[in-house]
Amino acid sequence: MGGGTSSYREIEETDLVILWGSNARETHPIFFHHVLKGVRNGAKLYVVDPRRTSSAQWADIWLGLDVGADIALANAMGREIIASGLENRAFIEHATSGFEEYRACVERYSLDYAERETGVPAAVIRDLAHAFAQAGRAQICWTLGITEHHNAVDNVLALLNLALLTGHVGRYGSGLNPLRGQNNVQGGGDMGAIPDRLPGFQHVENDELRSRFEQAWGVKIPSKRGLHLSGMFEAMEHGDFTALYVIGENPAQSEADQQRAMKLLKGLEVLVVQDIFLTATGEMADVVLPAAAGWCESEGTVTSSERRVQRVRRALHPPPGARDDIEVLCELARRLGHDWGQPSAEDLWNEVRRLSPMHAGMSYPRLEALGGIQWPCYDESHPGELYLHGRLWQTPLVGPKAPFSVVEFEPPVDSLDEQYPIRLTTGRRLDSFNTGVQTAGYRSPLRRREALDLSPEDGKRYGVAEGETVRVSSRRGSVLVPIRYDSSLRPGLAFLTPHFPEEVATNFLTIDATDPKSGTAEFKATAIRIDKLESEPGLEMIGTEMNTGER
């Protein structure tokens, strides 16, 4: 099962919280309220992030590590915990496997080594290691700062190792929590929007599990895993992937190395886009299907980062020409020769309950009465699980042991050198979202014009003034962008968002080096340089092409 192990309530009642690669104050503001309640109740807050973010302003200690050095930091913490005898030996022996291999792996990650590789003082790493190991209850929370790297899965495994080492998983107040970037990212994964999973995280390559769906749906399901998003673009490049159906996504502007992404999308034989807005991807499409807004014009459910399934209720009907996603998909199926009838959202949800054991007890009436239920919920007498993996503490142990993972530190793919000496990292701001499709058309008193955030020291070093427009270049392209000084950034680190691609095409700069396990691109670690403009340009340079503003 892929989801956060803990409930939001546990964040309020834990003893220590680590926000690792997460600026939750701006990117998950509702969740951050739970963090603040925990802090007010006495929890210590540590923030691990290359930037001194607004979240870090609330922290007891900020660990400003170098971009991409997460495994070096986590492994050094693990070594320090073991060397100090602070590991939970009883839990390790009872509930885990692979500890000796893990111990051998982290042995070379001394505090001094970690300080050199991460930029975090050895004493601070030691403090966090001891505090985490000795806390009665502790939570690790992470987001894209961990996963948007070429070794994303290994980064997560390094954090899981720390929880297994200390026993901070499978009990109230201690857990591991990936914070989801939208209100139903968790629900999408739960429903099978993952290359190797069917609804309920049931593996598509398991013949017994797959046969249940084949019998219910009356079709044969491919027995091999599909492609993740990066794999789809690779297949486009090789000519093996010629048609794409995009629902609620804007890959023309959200993918790393945007020039490559747009070239491959333009090369498709068929591109269909289903969305509530005419996105840049939609403008390239052969067919656009106007959709209803899921949050107010549709019926259904969403699932939050704490695995809580909640009802969504239609407040108004879609405007003329737009149709509910269910209606669009069923009509498309009918035209392709498969009559699915006119199922309601509840009909489809009941089908999910029949096929996914972890959702079986979540009827609409129960969801209404209880204000949502956390999976797994196996029958209608089950309350839903407050936290996951409690079985690891049962005697005798129920199910398999939890494995430690051997993971090694690797620096970012896009290396720094004399030509590209500055590390660019990307992320979101509180007032905006992703490529701005849902937010850029609305005013916000918090919003500022997109600019390259740079430390005042770097501004002086490169001779650029605040507000001055410069050319920022990577090994893939260049953009024009004004400078904004940000004293929270360390020298050598810069920051951009993808929120306003029509003004600053940030993803012209980013690298599409991907994690082979998850397919996630390394948005967080781009090597750039800054060049002053000799005179005010009459035309905007984007990538390697002159652009007159017509898009």
Side-chain angles (χ1 to χ4, degrees), residues 254-473:
S254 64
E255 287 302 288
D257 195 351
Q258 187 178 336
Q259 294 185 91
R260 172 179 177 263
M262 294 183 71
K263 176 182 177 182
L264 293 175
L265 290 170
K266 289 176 181 177
L268 290 167
E269 293 179 10
V270 178
L271 175 60
V272 180
V273 170
Q274 183 171 319
D275 211 308
I276 62 175
F277 295 106
L278 183 61
T279 64
T281 308
E283 291 176 349
M284 300 168 61
D286 299 287
V287 177
V288 176
L289 302 171
W295 67 275
C296 64
E297 297 171 351
S298 299
E299 295 285 330
T301 64
V302 294
T303 309
S304 71
S305 294
E306 66 167 353
R307 298 169 284 105
R308 184 175 300 278
V309 179
Q310 296 172 284
R311 286 277 288 110
V312 173
R313 301 160 189 81
R314 172 178 287 164
L316 65 163
H317 290 282
R323 301 167 77 174
D324 184 87
D325 288 321
I326 295 173
E327 184 182 350
V328 171
L329 291 169
C330 288
E331 177 63 16
L332 181 60
R334 187 185 67 79
R335 298 192 185 200
L336 292 172
H338 299 272
D339 189 355
W340 295 349
Q342 295 179 312
S344 67
E346 186 175 7
D347 293 334
L348 296 177
W349 180 250
N350 286 331
E351 179 179 300
V352 170
R353 293 173 57 215
R354 290 192 295 271
L355 293 172
S356 170
M358 62 187 250
H359 294 97
M362 298 185 182
S363 66
Y364 264 28
R366 290 195 79 212
L367 291 174
E368 295 276 7
L370 299 177
I373 302 173
Q374 291 170 275
W375 62 252
C377 175
Y378 298 112
D379 58 54
E380 294 205 35
S381 65
H382 195 286
E385 294 288 355
L386 191 62
Y387 56 88
L388 298 181
H389 308 306
R391 68 175 186 82
L392 295 175
W393 294 89
Q394 295 179 15
T395 303
L397 179 68
V398 178
K401 291 190 172 185
F404 280 91
S405 300
V406 172
V407 292
E408 301 282 4
F409 164 63
E410 295 178 0
V413 172
D414 210 12
S415 60
L416 302 178
D417 57 21
E418 291 185 2
Q419 188 175 8
Y420 299 99
I422 302 170
R423 178 64 72 198
L424 171 68
T425 195
T426 63
R428 300 205 299 259
R429 300 190 196 277
L430 177 62
D431 62 89
S432 299
F433 189 73
N434 285 6
T435 60
V437 172
Q438 300 178 73
T439 54
Y442 303 91
R443 294 178 180 176
S444 167
L446 302 176
R447 185 169 297 153
R448 301 176 296 180
R449 180 186 177 191
E450 185 60 35
L452 180 74
D453 287 351
L454 200 67
S455 72
E457 295 91 337
D458 278 342
K460 182 177 180 180
R461 176 180 296 116
Y462 296 106
V464 292
E466 187 164 28
E468 178 181 352
T469 296
V470 299
R471 177 171 290 111
V472 177
S473 303

Side-chain angles (χ1 to χ4, degrees), residues 6-288:
S6 304
S7 303
Y8 293 162
R9 192 177 87 195
E10 295 174 67
I11 305 297
E12 301 174 13
E13 299 177 4
T14 192
D15 300 313
L16 183 146
V17 177
I18 304 177
L19 290 179
W20 199 312
S22 167
N23 182 16
R25 173 66 184 85
E26 295 193 40
T27 60
H28 297 86
I30 303 303
F31 172 80
F32 195 69
H33 285 298
H34 297 282
V35 175
L36 290 179
K37 287 182 180 179
V39 170
R40 293 190 184 106
N41 288 334
K44 294 194 71 175
L45 175 61
Y46 289 78
V47 170
V48 180
D49 200 298
R51 299 188 297 139
R52 190 187 289 271
T53 63
S54 58
S55 300
Q57 295 174 17
W58 296 87
D60 292 272
I61 295 179
W62 167 61
L63 288 81
L65 83 169
D66 293 341
V67 174
D70 304 277
I71 290 176
L73 177 60
N75 281 0
M77 287 175 59
R79 181 186 185 277
E80 175 63 21
I81 290 169
I82 295 169
S84 301
L86 298 176
E87 74 275 17
N88 191 323
R89 178 62 63 171
F91 178 79
I92 291 169
E93 293 177 353
H94 173 71
T96 74
S97 62
F99 171 69
E100 292 302 328
E101 292 82 358
Y102 171 73
R103 189 218 299 263
C105 167
V106 301
E107 179 57 33
R108 74 180 185 88
Y109 289 84
S110 67
L111 294 177
D112 289 340
Y113 169 86
E115 179 174 326
R116 291 194 301 272
E117 294 295 337
T118 68
V120 179
V124 177
I125 300 174
R126 181 185 184 279
D127 177 77
L128 176 54
H130 283 245
F132 181 71
Q134 294 176 310
R137 295 170 294 184
Q139 301 278 349
I140 302 179
C141 308
W142 68 90
T143 52
L144 302 181
I146 282 291
T147 57
E148 287 188 339
H149 290 275
H150 76 282
N151 52 354
V153 172
D154 286 353
N155 282 344
V156 173
L157 293 174
L159 303 187
L160 269 56
N161 286 337
L162 293 176
L164 295 179
L165 188 62
T166 55
H168 282 312
V169 66
R171 54 193 178 92
Y172 186 83
S174 283
L176 294 152
N177 299 289
L179 308 179
R180 306 309 190 186
Q182 299 183 49
N183 74 328
N184 201 32
V185 167
Q186 182 67 53
D190 297 350
M191 294 302 103
I194 301 175
D196 61 352
R197 303 288 163 162
L198 294 159
F201 296 103
Q202 299 175 85
H203 207 293
V204 73
E205 295 180 358
N206 182 303
D207 294 342
E208 182 180 353
L209 296 176
R210 190 177 66 256
S211 66
R212 295 181 60 227
F213 288 86
E214 291 177 336
Q215 184 176 3
W217 294 344
V219 295
K220 294 294 291 183
I221 299 172
S223 60
K224 298 296 182 183
R225 64 178 294 148
L227 298 173
H228 49 55
L229 184 57
S230 298
M232 294 181 195
F233 276 93
E234 288 181 19
M236 290 180 209
E237 201 159 40
H238 299 146
D240 300 325
F241 196 103
T242 59
L244 185 65
Y245 185 2
V246 179
I247 303 178
E249 189 76 21
N250 185 26
Q253 293 181 319
S254 64
E255 287 302 288
D257 195 351
Q258 187 178 336
Q259 294 185 91
R260 172 179 177 263
M262 294 183 71
K263 176 182 177 182
L264 293 175
L265 290 170
K266 289 176 181 177
L268 290 167
E269 293 179 10
V270 178
L271 175 60
V272 180
V273 170
Q274 183 171 319
D275 211 308
I276 62 175
F277 295 106
L278 183 61
T279 64
T281 308
E283 291 176 349
M284 300 168 61
D286 299 287
V287 177
V288 176

